[in-house]
Amino acid sequence: MPEGDTVWNTARVLHRALAGARITGSDFRVPQLATTDLTDWTVRESASRGKHLLLRLDAPTEEHWTLHSHLRMDGAWRAYAPGERWSGRPAHLIRVVLRSPGAVAVGYHLHDLTLVPTAEEDQLVGHLGPDLLGSDWDPAEAVRRLADHPEQTIGEALLDQRNLAGVGNLYKCEVLFLRGVSPWTPVGGVPDLPGMVALAQRLLAANRGRWTQSSTGSLHRGQTSYVYGRRAQPCRRCGTAIRKEELGERVTYWCPVCQPERPGSSSSG
Ligand SMILES: [Zn+2]
């Protein structure tokens, strides 16, 4: 599940493969960029902002441009050595290929692939709240943005990238379990919002630099989460069957005993 940590890792892979390199060939397989040719452009750097990827480029005219992409549920970038077989994903999922003398970067099933002047990046990422893995991470601002909508359920608020950028469904479910808070609790009823925000940041930061996401500390298959993906399996703390239900536009997983409803908070049942 690509969340902030996965996107951060991906940005680092692209940076190591391409930063400073001259592009020797590009192949865009999306209609909006079908005629774009980045040959002789230079890769300045690769960065992430929440769940958005920003590949910053210098055109031969020395103008600064940004190739933006979003992984959503299923996108990926892979870097290969020249001549190496592209083993990442089926070829029909390829959306872009960037060749350089030292590496080939292939983007699979990317979303929102756009090329914009770097000065206009804010049109794509300016709405985002503080980036949990950004060098400018601002927990107080994240708490302020969350608290601005006290009636919203905390389950939906943590996923709203305008509040804080980087949390996806996995970390949302896990953070709520670890804090003992029902996903249906209104933000205004969450006992320790700063503590929850701090935990979300620690979980994402702990998973930087590896591709297996774990909230339990275990990297063993089937043991990496407390509640996410574990419907009907026993809670690791109390043995109660983990539940799965729709909340807003996404499903949520939780333990009804470890994450009790509080008086005044509404439930979908
Ligand atoms: Zn439990």
Coordinates of all heavy atoms in Angstrom, one line a residue, residues 177 226-227 234-242 254-259, ligand 1:
F177 N -5.7 2.0 16.4 CA -5.6 0.9 17.3 C -4.7 1.2 18.4 O -5.0 1.0 19.6 CB -5.2 -0.4 16.6 CG -5.0 -1.6 17.5 CD1 -6.1 -2.3 17.9 CD2 -3.7 -1.9 17.9 CE1 -5.9 -3.4 18.8 CE2 -3.5 -2.9 18.8 CZ -4.6 -3.7 19.3
Y226 N -1.6 -4.7 13.4 CA -2.5 -5.1 14.5 C -3.9 -5.4 14.0 O -4.5 -6.3 14.4 CB -2.5 -4.0 15.6 CG -1.2 -4.0 16.4 CD1 -0.3 -3.0 16.2 CD2 -1.0 -4.9 17.4 CE1 0.9 -2.9 16.9 CE2 0.2 -4.9 18.2 CZ 1.1 -3.9 17.9 OH 2.2 -3.8 18.7
V227 N -4.3 -4.5 13.1 CA -5.7 -4.6 12.7 C -5.9 -4.6 11.1 O -6.8 -5.2 10.6 CB -6.7 -3.5 13.3 CG1 -6.8 -3.8 14.8 CG2 -6.1 -2.1 13.0
P234 N -8.2 -12.8 15.3 CA -8.3 -12.4 16.7 C -7.3 -11.2 17.0 O -6.2 -11.2 16.5 CB -7.8 -13.6 17.5 CG -7.1 -14.5 16.6 CD -7.7 -14.2 15.2
C235 N -7.8 -10.2 17.7 CA -7.0 -9.1 18.1 C -5.8 -9.6 18.9 O -5.8 -10.5 19.7 CB -7.8 -8.2 19.1 SG -6.9 -6.8 19.8
R236 N -4.6 -9.0 18.5 CA -3.4 -9.4 19.1 C -3.3 -9.1 20.6 O -2.5 -9.6 21.4 CB -2.2 -8.8 18.4 CG -2.1 -9.2 16.9 CD -0.7 -8.7 16.3 NE -0.8 -8.8 14.9 CZ -0.6 -9.9 14.1 NH1 -0.5 -11.0 14.7 NH2 -0.7 -9.8 12.8
R237 N -4.2 -8.2 21.1 CA -4.2 -7.8 22.5 C -5.2 -8.5 23.3 O -5.0 -9.0 24.4 CB -4.4 -6.3 22.6 CG -3.1 -5.5 22.3 CD -3.1 -4.2 22.9 NE -1.9 -3.5 22.6 CZ -1.8 -2.2 22.4 NH1 -2.8 -1.4 22.4 NH2 -0.6 -1.7 22.1
C238 N -6.5 -8.6 22.7 CA -7.6 -9.1 23.6 C -8.3 -10.3 23.0 O -9.1 -10.9 23.6 CB -8.6 -8.0 23.8 SG -9.6 -7.6 22.4
G239 N -7.9 -10.7 21.8 CA -8.5 -11.9 21.2 C -9.9 -11.7 20.5 O -10.3 -12.6 19.8
T240 N -10.5 -10.5 20.6 CA -11.7 -10.2 19.9 C -11.5 -10.2 18.4 O -10.5 -9.8 17.9 CB -12.3 -8.9 20.4 OG1 -12.4 -8.9 21.8 CG2 -13.6 -8.5 19.8
A241 N -12.5 -10.7 17.7 CA -12.4 -10.7 16.2 C -12.3 -9.2 15.7 O -13.1 -8.4 16.0 CB -13.6 -11.3 15.6
I242 N -11.3 -9.0 14.9 CA -11.1 -7.7 14.2 C -12.3 -7.4 13.3 O -12.7 -8.3 12.5 CB -9.8 -7.6 13.5 CG1 -8.6 -7.8 14.5 CG2 -9.6 -6.2 12.7 CD1 -8.6 -6.8 15.6
W254 N -10.8 -2.4 12.8 CA -10.6 -2.0 14.2 C -11.0 -3.1 15.1 O -11.7 -4.0 14.7 CB -11.3 -0.7 14.5 CG -12.8 -0.8 14.9 CD1 -13.3 -0.6 16.1 CD2 -13.9 -1.1 14.0 NE1 -14.7 -0.8 16.0 CE2 -15.0 -1.1 14.8 CE3 -13.9 -1.3 12.6 CZ2 -16.3 -1.3 14.2 CZ3 -15.2 -1.6 12.1 CH2 -16.3 -1.6 12.9
C255 N -10.6 -3.0 16.4 CA -11.0 -3.9 17.4 C -12.0 -3.2 18.3 O -11.8 -2.2 18.9 CB -9.8 -4.3 18.3 SG -10.3 -5.3 19.8
P256 N -13.3 -3.8 18.3 CA -14.3 -3.1 19.1 C -14.1 -3.0 20.6 O -14.7 -2.2 21.3 CB -15.6 -3.9 18.7 CG -15.1 -5.3 18.3 CD -13.7 -5.0 17.7
V257 N -13.2 -3.9 21.1 CA -13.0 -3.9 22.5 C -11.8 -2.9 22.9 O -11.9 -2.1 23.8 CB -12.7 -5.3 23.0 CG1 -12.2 -5.3 24.5 CG2 -13.9 -6.2 22.9
C258 N -10.7 -3.0 22.1 CA -9.6 -2.1 22.4 C -9.8 -0.7 22.0 O -9.1 0.2 22.4 CB -8.3 -2.7 21.7 SG -7.8 -4.2 22.4
Q259 N -10.8 -0.5 21.1 CA -11.1 0.8 20.5 C -12.6 1.1 20.7 O -13.4 1.2 19.8 CB -10.8 0.9 19.0 CG -9.3 0.7 18.7 CD -9.0 0.5 17.3 OE1 -8.9 -0.7 16.8 NE2 -8.9 1.5 16.5
Ligands
ZN1 ZN -8.6 -5.9 21.1

